[in-house]
Amino acid sequence: GRMFAKDGFAAAAVDAGLTDAMVSVHGDGPGLHDALVDSPGAFDALAAGVTALRAAGVERLSANTTVVRENVGRLEALARTLLGLGLRRAEFIFVDPTVGGAADDPERWVPRLSQAAPAMRAALEAGRAAGTSEWCVRYVPLCLFAGWLDQVSELREARAFDSVEHWAPDFHNADVRGSRREAARVRTARCAGCRLEPACEGLWRPYYERWGDAELEPVHG
């Protein structure tokens, strides 16, 4: 979102056809956000960019947040920050431990689900309390969000689209959900008999290999 803080950029983007924008907000204020993106002043520029987008007429504004160890304890405060910025659509994404820094140093970046799930649910509750149900979570075992299934991104996608594809100049994945479920995620013996298992992608495989599945709470009956 920082580019939109530059004079005239948001208006030019709208003139070029921009109708929706999603910005990444990883901390509840400048200190944490700037540290996580390793760029002083990033949060203030982001906030200014959101203001400029709204002034330029972009009404569909949303946010995403990668949930990591350094921000997991402040997700509820971060939710209030999003509301303060007027971002009534948001997605809280449990960090993918198969790539990047989370794969290289999981002890630093990957939170335990027993801490992350309650924090992510509290963030969703903050959105509900403010009158929005357009906040979602991604990359989580469904059993830990049994009361929030209408706010799980993968389930929403499955209802809305026959398939989800990723395209890039040098990359094409024609079945994102299927390949992730079969190659990168795992349902364990603990999942057997859980009524949510057929729709659930389970745990990230590297997470299971490091920390196991004791944090899962299968839903029976």
PDB file of all heavy atoms in Angstrom, residues 65-103:
ATOM      1  N   THR A  65      -2.846 -10.236   6.732  1.00  0.00           N
ATOM      2  CA  THR A  65      -1.846 -10.267   7.787  1.00  0.00           C
ATOM      3  C   THR A  65      -1.260 -11.663   7.854  1.00  0.00           C
ATOM      4  O   THR A  65      -2.009 -12.649   7.946  1.00  0.00           O
ATOM      5  CB  THR A  65      -2.478  -9.925   9.149  1.00  0.00           C
ATOM      6  OG1 THR A  65      -2.979  -8.589   9.125  1.00  0.00           O
ATOM      7  CG2 THR A  65      -1.461 -10.073  10.278  1.00  0.00           C
ATOM      8  N   THR A  66       0.051 -11.779   7.760  1.00  0.00           N
ATOM      9  CA  THR A  66       0.702 -13.061   7.969  1.00  0.00           C
ATOM     10  C   THR A  66       0.923 -13.254   9.465  1.00  0.00           C
ATOM     11  O   THR A  66       1.541 -12.418  10.119  1.00  0.00           O
ATOM     12  CB  THR A  66       2.045 -13.133   7.226  1.00  0.00           C
ATOM     13  OG1 THR A  66       1.820 -12.897   5.839  1.00  0.00           O
ATOM     14  CG2 THR A  66       2.680 -14.501   7.402  1.00  0.00           C
ATOM     15  N   VAL A  67       0.401 -14.349  10.003  1.00  0.00           N
ATOM     16  CA  VAL A  67       0.498 -14.616  11.436  1.00  0.00           C
ATOM     17  C   VAL A  67       1.806 -15.350  11.712  1.00  0.00           C
ATOM     18  O   VAL A  67       2.010 -16.485  11.274  1.00  0.00           O
ATOM     19  CB  VAL A  67      -0.704 -15.452  11.911  1.00  0.00           C
ATOM     20  CG1 VAL A  67      -0.574 -15.777  13.394  1.00  0.00           C
ATOM     21  CG2 VAL A  67      -2.008 -14.702  11.633  1.00  0.00           C
ATOM     22  N   VAL A  68       2.703 -14.674  12.435  1.00  0.00           N
ATOM     23  CA  VAL A  68       4.012 -15.222  12.778  1.00  0.00           C
ATOM     24  C   VAL A  68       4.214 -15.093  14.290  1.00  0.00           C
ATOM     25  O   VAL A  68       3.395 -14.501  14.992  1.00  0.00           O
ATOM     26  CB  VAL A  68       5.137 -14.491  12.016  1.00  0.00           C
ATOM     27  CG1 VAL A  68       5.031 -14.745  10.517  1.00  0.00           C
ATOM     28  CG2 VAL A  68       5.120 -12.992  12.306  1.00  0.00           C
ATOM     29  N   ARG A  69       5.304 -15.639  14.781  1.00  0.00           N
ATOM     30  CA  ARG A  69       5.528 -15.612  16.234  1.00  0.00           C
ATOM     31  C   ARG A  69       5.583 -14.201  16.793  1.00  0.00           C
ATOM     32  O   ARG A  69       5.140 -13.948  17.910  1.00  0.00           O
ATOM     33  CB  ARG A  69       6.820 -16.358  16.578  1.00  0.00           C
ATOM     34  CG  ARG A  69       6.685 -17.860  16.496  1.00  0.00           C
ATOM     35  CD  ARG A  69       7.723 -18.571  17.330  1.00  0.00           C
ATOM     36  NE  ARG A  69       7.545 -20.018  17.247  1.00  0.00           N
ATOM     37  CZ  ARG A  69       8.117 -20.877  18.062  1.00  0.00           C
ATOM     38  NH1 ARG A  69       8.915 -20.450  19.029  1.00  0.00           N
ATOM     39  NH2 ARG A  69       7.902 -22.177  17.927  1.00  0.00           N
ATOM     40  N   GLU A  70       6.122 -13.270  16.014  1.00  0.00           N
ATOM     41  CA  GLU A  70       6.335 -11.931  16.548  1.00  0.00           C
ATOM     42  C   GLU A  70       5.053 -11.118  16.639  1.00  0.00           C
ATOM     43  O   GLU A  70       5.003 -10.130  17.382  1.00  0.00           O
ATOM     44  CB  GLU A  70       7.387 -11.203  15.711  1.00  0.00           C
ATOM     45  CG  GLU A  70       8.781 -11.792  15.886  1.00  0.00           C
ATOM     46  CD  GLU A  70       9.850 -10.963  15.197  1.00  0.00           C
ATOM     47  OE1 GLU A  70       9.786  -9.721  15.265  1.00  0.00           O
ATOM     48  OE2 GLU A  70      10.759 -11.564  14.585  1.00  0.00           O
ATOM     49  N   ASN A  71       4.012 -11.479  15.891  1.00  0.00           N
ATOM     50  CA  ASN A  71       2.780 -10.690  15.991  1.00  0.00           C
ATOM     51  C   ASN A  71       1.597 -11.475  16.545  1.00  0.00           C
ATOM     52  O   ASN A  71       0.525 -10.914  16.764  1.00  0.00           O
ATOM     53  CB  ASN A  71       2.405 -10.071  14.645  1.00  0.00           C
ATOM     54  CG  ASN A  71       2.004 -11.079  13.572  1.00  0.00           C
ATOM     55  OD1 ASN A  71       1.815 -12.256  13.848  1.00  0.00           O
ATOM     56  ND2 ASN A  71       1.895 -10.612  12.332  1.00  0.00           N
ATOM     57  N   VAL A  72       1.767 -12.783  16.805  1.00  0.00           N
ATOM     58  CA  VAL A  72       0.620 -13.593  17.188  1.00  0.00           C
ATOM     59  C   VAL A  72      -0.008 -13.124  18.498  1.00  0.00           C
ATOM     60  O   VAL A  72      -1.233 -13.182  18.667  1.00  0.00           O
ATOM     61  CB  VAL A  72       1.013 -15.090  17.264  1.00  0.00           C
ATOM     62  CG1 VAL A  72       1.951 -15.369  18.439  1.00  0.00           C
ATOM     63  CG2 VAL A  72      -0.227 -15.975  17.351  1.00  0.00           C
ATOM     64  N   GLY A  73       0.791 -12.598  19.400  1.00  0.00           N
ATOM     65  CA  GLY A  73       0.256 -12.124  20.664  1.00  0.00           C
ATOM     66  C   GLY A  73      -0.426 -10.773  20.575  1.00  0.00           C
ATOM     67  O   GLY A  73      -1.001 -10.312  21.566  1.00  0.00           O
ATOM     68  N   ARG A  74      -0.394 -10.156  19.389  1.00  0.00           N
ATOM     69  CA  ARG A  74      -0.979  -8.819  19.240  1.00  0.00           C
ATOM     70  C   ARG A  74      -2.030  -8.775  18.134  1.00  0.00           C
ATOM     71  O   ARG A  74      -2.357  -7.703  17.603  1.00  0.00           O
ATOM     72  CB  ARG A  74       0.147  -7.818  18.972  1.00  0.00           C
ATOM     73  CG  ARG A  74       1.009  -7.621  20.225  1.00  0.00           C
ATOM     74  CD  ARG A  74       2.348  -7.016  19.971  1.00  0.00           C
ATOM     75  NE  ARG A  74       2.306  -5.632  19.536  1.00  0.00           N
ATOM     76  CZ  ARG A  74       3.395  -4.871  19.398  1.00  0.00           C
ATOM     77  NH1 ARG A  74       4.584  -5.379  19.681  1.00  0.00           N
ATOM     78  NH2 ARG A  74       3.293  -3.632  18.992  1.00  0.00           N
ATOM     79  N   LEU A  75      -2.589  -9.926  17.792  1.00  0.00           N
ATOM     80  CA  LEU A  75      -3.560  -9.957  16.703  1.00  0.00           C
ATOM     81  C   LEU A  75      -4.847  -9.217  17.038  1.00  0.00           C
ATOM     82  O   LEU A  75      -5.451  -8.587  16.173  1.00  0.00           O
ATOM     83  CB  LEU A  75      -3.883 -11.402  16.320  1.00  0.00           C
ATOM     84  CG  LEU A  75      -2.768 -12.186  15.630  1.00  0.00           C
ATOM     85  CD1 LEU A  75      -3.299 -13.543  15.182  1.00  0.00           C
ATOM     86  CD2 LEU A  75      -2.197 -11.427  14.439  1.00  0.00           C
ATOM     87  N   GLU A  76      -5.284  -9.298  18.291  1.00  0.00           N
ATOM     88  CA  GLU A  76      -6.507  -8.583  18.640  1.00  0.00           C
ATOM     89  C   GLU A  76      -6.290  -7.077  18.532  1.00  0.00           C
ATOM     90  O   GLU A  76      -7.155  -6.345  18.025  1.00  0.00           O
ATOM     91  CB  GLU A  76      -6.963  -8.967  20.044  1.00  0.00           C
ATOM     92  CG  GLU A  76      -8.363  -8.487  20.368  1.00  0.00           C
ATOM     93  CD  GLU A  76      -8.900  -9.079  21.655  1.00  0.00           C
ATOM     94  OE1 GLU A  76      -8.182  -9.840  22.325  1.00  0.00           O
ATOM     95  OE2 GLU A  76     -10.054  -8.766  21.989  1.00  0.00           O
ATOM     96  N   ALA A  77      -5.119  -6.593  18.988  1.00  0.00           N
ATOM     97  CA  ALA A  77      -4.792  -5.174  18.826  1.00  0.00           C
ATOM     98  C   ALA A  77      -4.660  -4.828  17.355  1.00  0.00           C
ATOM     99  O   ALA A  77      -5.068  -3.742  16.906  1.00  0.00           O
ATOM    100  CB  ALA A  77      -3.503  -4.844  19.573  1.00  0.00           C
ATOM    101  N   LEU A  78      -4.083  -5.737  16.562  1.00  0.00           N
ATOM    102  CA  LEU A  78      -3.953  -5.503  15.131  1.00  0.00           C
ATOM    103  C   LEU A  78      -5.333  -5.398  14.483  1.00  0.00           C
ATOM    104  O   LEU A  78      -5.556  -4.576  13.579  1.00  0.00           O
ATOM    105  CB  LEU A  78      -3.137  -6.626  14.497  1.00  0.00           C
ATOM    106  CG  LEU A  78      -2.567  -6.384  13.102  1.00  0.00           C
ATOM    107  CD1 LEU A  78      -1.313  -7.236  12.899  1.00  0.00           C
ATOM    108  CD2 LEU A  78      -3.575  -6.702  12.021  1.00  0.00           C
ATOM    109  N   ALA A  79      -6.272  -6.219  14.952  1.00  0.00           N
ATOM    110  CA  ALA A  79      -7.632  -6.140  14.436  1.00  0.00           C
ATOM    111  C   ALA A  79      -8.220  -4.753  14.677  1.00  0.00           C
ATOM    112  O   ALA A  79      -8.880  -4.182  13.798  1.00  0.00           O
ATOM    113  CB  ALA A  79      -8.507  -7.210  15.087  1.00  0.00           C
ATOM    114  N   ARG A  80      -7.969  -4.195  15.850  1.00  0.00           N
ATOM    115  CA  ARG A  80      -8.470  -2.846  16.130  1.00  0.00           C
ATOM    116  C   ARG A  80      -7.789  -1.826  15.222  1.00  0.00           C
ATOM    117  O   ARG A  80      -8.406  -0.835  14.801  1.00  0.00           O
ATOM    118  CB  ARG A  80      -8.239  -2.505  17.605  1.00  0.00           C
ATOM    119  CG  ARG A  80      -9.115  -3.338  18.555  1.00  0.00           C
ATOM    120  CD  ARG A  80      -9.093  -2.763  19.966  1.00  0.00           C
ATOM    121  NE  ARG A  80      -7.781  -2.894  20.588  1.00  0.00           N
ATOM    122  CZ  ARG A  80      -7.399  -3.933  21.305  1.00  0.00           C
ATOM    123  NH1 ARG A  80      -8.216  -4.952  21.483  1.00  0.00           N
ATOM    124  NH2 ARG A  80      -6.206  -3.967  21.859  1.00  0.00           N
ATOM    125  N   THR A  81      -6.518  -2.067  14.898  1.00  0.00           N
ATOM    126  CA  THR A  81      -5.818  -1.182  13.967  1.00  0.00           C
ATOM    127  C   THR A  81      -6.476  -1.226  12.593  1.00  0.00           C
ATOM    128  O   THR A  81      -6.682  -0.187  11.949  1.00  0.00           O
ATOM    129  CB  THR A  81      -4.334  -1.589  13.854  1.00  0.00           C
ATOM    130  OG1 THR A  81      -3.695  -1.371  15.117  1.00  0.00           O
ATOM    131  CG2 THR A  81      -3.613  -0.783  12.782  1.00  0.00           C
ATOM    132  N   LEU A  82      -6.821  -2.421  12.126  1.00  0.00           N
ATOM    133  CA  LEU A  82      -7.482  -2.547  10.826  1.00  0.00           C
ATOM    134  C   LEU A  82      -8.810  -1.794  10.823  1.00  0.00           C
ATOM    135  O   LEU A  82      -9.148  -1.106   9.852  1.00  0.00           O
ATOM    136  CB  LEU A  82      -7.713  -4.018  10.495  1.00  0.00           C
ATOM    137  CG  LEU A  82      -6.472  -4.890  10.310  1.00  0.00           C
ATOM    138  CD1 LEU A  82      -6.886  -6.314   9.959  1.00  0.00           C
ATOM    139  CD2 LEU A  82      -5.543  -4.332   9.248  1.00  0.00           C
ATOM    140  N   LEU A  83      -9.566  -1.932  11.900  1.00  0.00           N
ATOM    141  CA  LEU A  83     -10.839  -1.213  11.989  1.00  0.00           C
ATOM    142  C   LEU A  83     -10.611   0.290  11.973  1.00  0.00           C
ATOM    143  O   LEU A  83     -11.366   1.038  11.342  1.00  0.00           O
ATOM    144  CB  LEU A  83     -11.584  -1.630  13.252  1.00  0.00           C
ATOM    145  CG  LEU A  83     -12.119  -3.071  13.262  1.00  0.00           C
ATOM    146  CD1 LEU A  83     -12.616  -3.438  14.648  1.00  0.00           C
ATOM    147  CD2 LEU A  83     -13.225  -3.244  12.223  1.00  0.00           C
ATOM    148  N   GLY A  84      -9.555   0.733  12.655  1.00  0.00           N
ATOM    149  CA  GLY A  84      -9.242   2.154  12.658  1.00  0.00           C
ATOM    150  C   GLY A  84      -8.885   2.685  11.278  1.00  0.00           C
ATOM    151  O   GLY A  84      -9.120   3.856  10.966  1.00  0.00           O
ATOM    152  N   LEU A  85      -8.305   1.800  10.446  1.00  0.00           N
ATOM    153  CA  LEU A  85      -7.973   2.181   9.074  1.00  0.00           C
ATOM    154  C   LEU A  85      -9.170   2.031   8.138  1.00  0.00           C
ATOM    155  O   LEU A  85      -9.067   2.326   6.941  1.00  0.00           O
ATOM    156  CB  LEU A  85      -6.814   1.314   8.556  1.00  0.00           C
ATOM    157  CG  LEU A  85      -5.449   1.545   9.205  1.00  0.00           C
ATOM    158  CD1 LEU A  85      -4.468   0.462   8.776  1.00  0.00           C
ATOM    159  CD2 LEU A  85      -4.916   2.930   8.843  1.00  0.00           C
ATOM    160  N   GLY A  86     -10.291   1.553   8.671  1.00  0.00           N
ATOM    161  CA  GLY A  86     -11.478   1.375   7.839  1.00  0.00           C
ATOM    162  C   GLY A  86     -11.432   0.155   6.950  1.00  0.00           C
ATOM    163  O   GLY A  86     -12.163   0.083   5.962  1.00  0.00           O
ATOM    164  N   LEU A  87     -10.591  -0.825   7.302  1.00  0.00           N
ATOM    165  CA  LEU A  87     -10.432  -2.030   6.491  1.00  0.00           C
ATOM    166  C   LEU A  87     -11.385  -3.108   7.018  1.00  0.00           C
ATOM    167  O   LEU A  87     -11.064  -3.841   7.948  1.00  0.00           O
ATOM    168  CB  LEU A  87      -8.984  -2.503   6.527  1.00  0.00           C
ATOM    169  CG  LEU A  87      -7.991  -1.495   5.928  1.00  0.00           C
ATOM    170  CD1 LEU A  87      -6.560  -1.873   6.261  1.00  0.00           C
ATOM    171  CD2 LEU A  87      -8.185  -1.382   4.425  1.00  0.00           C
ATOM    172  N   ARG A  88     -12.539  -3.196   6.412  1.00  0.00           N
ATOM    173  CA  ARG A  88     -13.588  -4.081   6.905  1.00  0.00           C
ATOM    174  C   ARG A  88     -13.597  -5.431   6.205  1.00  0.00           C
ATOM    175  O   ARG A  88     -14.481  -6.260   6.423  1.00  0.00           O
ATOM    176  CB  ARG A  88     -14.943  -3.384   6.795  1.00  0.00           C
ATOM    177  CG  ARG A  88     -14.968  -2.067   7.585  1.00  0.00           C
ATOM    178  CD  ARG A  88     -16.342  -1.450   7.618  1.00  0.00           C
ATOM    179  NE  ARG A  88     -17.301  -2.264   8.337  1.00  0.00           N
ATOM    180  CZ  ARG A  88     -17.415  -2.302   9.674  1.00  0.00           C
ATOM    181  NH1 ARG A  88     -16.596  -1.598  10.431  1.00  0.00           N
ATOM    182  NH2 ARG A  88     -18.333  -3.057  10.242  1.00  0.00           N
ATOM    183  N   ARG A  89     -12.611  -5.665   5.353  1.00  0.00           N
ATOM    184  CA  ARG A  89     -12.342  -6.995   4.805  1.00  0.00           C
ATOM    185  C   ARG A  89     -10.903  -7.325   5.155  1.00  0.00           C
ATOM    186  O   ARG A  89     -10.007  -6.522   4.893  1.00  0.00           O
ATOM    187  CB  ARG A  89     -12.562  -7.034   3.295  1.00  0.00           C
ATOM    188  CG  ARG A  89     -13.980  -6.760   2.859  1.00  0.00           C
ATOM    189  CD  ARG A  89     -14.093  -6.735   1.338  1.00  0.00           C
ATOM    190  NE  ARG A  89     -15.452  -6.487   0.903  1.00  0.00           N
ATOM    191  CZ  ARG A  89     -15.981  -5.277   0.764  1.00  0.00           C
ATOM    192  NH1 ARG A  89     -15.257  -4.193   1.031  1.00  0.00           N
ATOM    193  NH2 ARG A  89     -17.237  -5.136   0.369  1.00  0.00           N
ATOM    194  N   ALA A  90     -10.669  -8.485   5.726  1.00  0.00           N
ATOM    195  CA  ALA A  90      -9.312  -8.824   6.152  1.00  0.00           C
ATOM    196  C   ALA A  90      -9.142 -10.337   6.180  1.00  0.00           C
ATOM    197  O   ALA A  90     -10.107 -11.090   6.332  1.00  0.00           O
ATOM    198  CB  ALA A  90      -9.014  -8.233   7.534  1.00  0.00           C
ATOM    199  N   GLU A  91      -7.890 -10.756   6.021  1.00  0.00           N
ATOM    200  CA  GLU A  91      -7.561 -12.176   6.085  1.00  0.00           C
ATOM    201  C   GLU A  91      -6.321 -12.350   6.953  1.00  0.00           C
ATOM    202  O   GLU A  91      -5.302 -11.690   6.733  1.00  0.00           O
ATOM    203  CB  GLU A  91      -7.308 -12.735   4.679  1.00  0.00           C
ATOM    204  CG  GLU A  91      -7.070 -14.229   4.665  1.00  0.00           C
ATOM    205  CD  GLU A  91      -6.890 -14.764   3.251  1.00  0.00           C
ATOM    206  OE1 GLU A  91      -6.020 -14.252   2.520  1.00  0.00           O
ATOM    207  OE2 GLU A  91      -7.615 -15.707   2.888  1.00  0.00           O
ATOM    208  N   PHE A  92      -6.422 -13.259   7.926  1.00  0.00           N
ATOM    209  CA  PHE A  92      -5.312 -13.583   8.806  1.00  0.00           C
ATOM    210  C   PHE A  92      -4.758 -14.935   8.358  1.00  0.00           C
ATOM    211  O   PHE A  92      -5.454 -15.947   8.428  1.00  0.00           O
ATOM    212  CB  PHE A  92      -5.773 -13.611  10.259  1.00  0.00           C
ATOM    213  CG  PHE A  92      -6.315 -12.285  10.732  1.00  0.00           C
ATOM    214  CD1 PHE A  92      -7.661 -11.975  10.590  1.00  0.00           C
ATOM    215  CD2 PHE A  92      -5.463 -11.346  11.285  1.00  0.00           C
ATOM    216  CE1 PHE A  92      -8.154 -10.747  11.000  1.00  0.00           C
ATOM    217  CE2 PHE A  92      -5.949 -10.107  11.709  1.00  0.00           C
ATOM    218  CZ  PHE A  92      -7.292  -9.812  11.562  1.00  0.00           C
ATOM    219  N   ILE A  93      -3.521 -14.954   7.898  1.00  0.00           N
ATOM    220  CA  ILE A  93      -2.951 -16.101   7.210  1.00  0.00           C
ATOM    221  C   ILE A  93      -1.866 -16.739   8.079  1.00  0.00           C
ATOM    222  O   ILE A  93      -0.819 -16.114   8.326  1.00  0.00           O
ATOM    223  CB  ILE A  93      -2.348 -15.683   5.857  1.00  0.00           C
ATOM    224  CG1 ILE A  93      -3.383 -14.926   5.020  1.00  0.00           C
ATOM    225  CG2 ILE A  93      -1.813 -16.892   5.111  1.00  0.00           C
ATOM    226  CD1 ILE A  93      -2.792 -14.234   3.802  1.00  0.00           C
ATOM    227  N   PHE A  94      -2.102 -17.962   8.525  1.00  0.00           N
ATOM    228  CA  PHE A  94      -1.069 -18.675   9.269  1.00  0.00           C
ATOM    229  C   PHE A  94       0.123 -18.893   8.347  1.00  0.00           C
ATOM    230  O   PHE A  94      -0.020 -19.365   7.218  1.00  0.00           O
ATOM    231  CB  PHE A  94      -1.598 -20.016   9.779  1.00  0.00           C
ATOM    232  CG  PHE A  94      -0.661 -20.711  10.724  1.00  0.00           C
ATOM    233  CD1 PHE A  94      -0.688 -20.425  12.082  1.00  0.00           C
ATOM    234  CD2 PHE A  94       0.251 -21.638  10.264  1.00  0.00           C
ATOM    235  CE1 PHE A  94       0.177 -21.056  12.964  1.00  0.00           C
ATOM    236  CE2 PHE A  94       1.129 -22.277  11.128  1.00  0.00           C
ATOM    237  CZ  PHE A  94       1.095 -21.984  12.477  1.00  0.00           C
ATOM    238  N   VAL A  95       1.304 -18.533   8.821  1.00  0.00           N
ATOM    239  CA  VAL A  95       2.494 -18.514   7.972  1.00  0.00           C
ATOM    240  C   VAL A  95       2.741 -19.881   7.324  1.00  0.00           C
ATOM    241  O   VAL A  95       2.600 -20.929   7.958  1.00  0.00           O
ATOM    242  CB  VAL A  95       3.732 -18.053   8.773  1.00  0.00           C
ATOM    243  CG1 VAL A  95       4.060 -19.013   9.897  1.00  0.00           C
ATOM    244  CG2 VAL A  95       4.919 -17.831   7.857  1.00  0.00           C
ATOM    245  N   ASP A  96       3.095 -19.849   6.051  1.00  0.00           N
ATOM    246  CA  ASP A  96       3.421 -21.059   5.293  1.00  0.00           C
ATOM    247  C   ASP A  96       4.854 -21.481   5.627  1.00  0.00           C
ATOM    248  O   ASP A  96       5.803 -20.780   5.274  1.00  0.00           O
ATOM    249  CB  ASP A  96       3.286 -20.748   3.802  1.00  0.00           C
ATOM    250  CG  ASP A  96       3.654 -21.919   2.901  1.00  0.00           C
ATOM    251  OD1 ASP A  96       4.159 -22.936   3.401  1.00  0.00           O
ATOM    252  OD2 ASP A  96       3.446 -21.790   1.672  1.00  0.00           O
ATOM    253  N   PRO A  97       5.053 -22.614   6.305  1.00  0.00           N
ATOM    254  CA  PRO A  97       6.403 -23.014   6.726  1.00  0.00           C
ATOM    255  C   PRO A  97       7.167 -23.807   5.674  1.00  0.00           C
ATOM    256  O   PRO A  97       8.209 -24.384   5.978  1.00  0.00           O
ATOM    257  CB  PRO A  97       6.136 -23.873   7.953  1.00  0.00           C
ATOM    258  CG  PRO A  97       4.832 -24.540   7.648  1.00  0.00           C
ATOM    259  CD  PRO A  97       4.034 -23.545   6.836  1.00  0.00           C
ATOM    260  N   THR A  98       6.657 -23.832   4.440  1.00  0.00           N
ATOM    261  CA  THR A  98       7.336 -24.609   3.395  1.00  0.00           C
ATOM    262  C   THR A  98       8.294 -23.766   2.570  1.00  0.00           C
ATOM    263  O   THR A  98       9.061 -24.318   1.772  1.00  0.00           O
ATOM    264  CB  THR A  98       6.320 -25.273   2.444  1.00  0.00           C
ATOM    265  OG1 THR A  98       5.655 -24.256   1.663  1.00  0.00           O
ATOM    266  CG2 THR A  98       5.292 -26.080   3.222  1.00  0.00           C
ATOM    267  N   VAL A  99       8.251 -22.438   2.718  1.00  0.00           N
ATOM    268  CA  VAL A  99       9.075 -21.565   1.879  1.00  0.00           C
ATOM    269  C   VAL A  99       9.660 -20.421   2.711  1.00  0.00           C
ATOM    270  O   VAL A  99       9.168 -20.096   3.798  1.00  0.00           O
ATOM    271  CB  VAL A  99       8.267 -20.969   0.708  1.00  0.00           C
ATOM    272  CG1 VAL A  99       7.813 -22.051  -0.249  1.00  0.00           C
ATOM    273  CG2 VAL A  99       7.061 -20.198   1.222  1.00  0.00           C
ATOM    274  N   GLY A 100      10.704 -19.804   2.181  1.00  0.00           N
ATOM    275  CA  GLY A 100      11.229 -18.562   2.742  1.00  0.00           C
ATOM    276  C   GLY A 100      11.773 -18.687   4.147  1.00  0.00           C
ATOM    277  O   GLY A 100      12.230 -19.747   4.586  1.00  0.00           O
ATOM    278  N   GLY A 101      11.700 -17.573   4.871  1.00  0.00           N
ATOM    279  CA  GLY A 101      12.251 -17.515   6.211  1.00  0.00           C
ATOM    280  C   GLY A 101      11.611 -18.498   7.165  1.00  0.00           C
ATOM    281  O   GLY A 101      12.284 -19.038   8.052  1.00  0.00           O
ATOM    282  N   ALA A 102      10.312 -18.759   6.993  1.00  0.00           N
ATOM    283  CA  ALA A 102       9.630 -19.701   7.890  1.00  0.00           C
ATOM    284  C   ALA A 102      10.156 -21.117   7.710  1.00  0.00           C
ATOM    285  O   ALA A 102      10.178 -21.903   8.665  1.00  0.00           O
ATOM    286  CB  ALA A 102       8.131 -19.662   7.652  1.00  0.00           C
ATOM    287  N   ALA A 103      10.576 -21.460   6.489  1.00  0.00           N
ATOM    288  CA  ALA A 103      11.167 -22.772   6.258  1.00  0.00           C
ATOM    289  C   ALA A 103      12.596 -22.823   6.774  1.00  0.00           C
ATOM    290  O   ALA A 103      13.037 -23.837   7.323  1.00  0.00           O
ATOM    291  CB  ALA A 103      11.139 -23.108   4.764  1.00  0.00           C
TER     292      ALA A 103
END
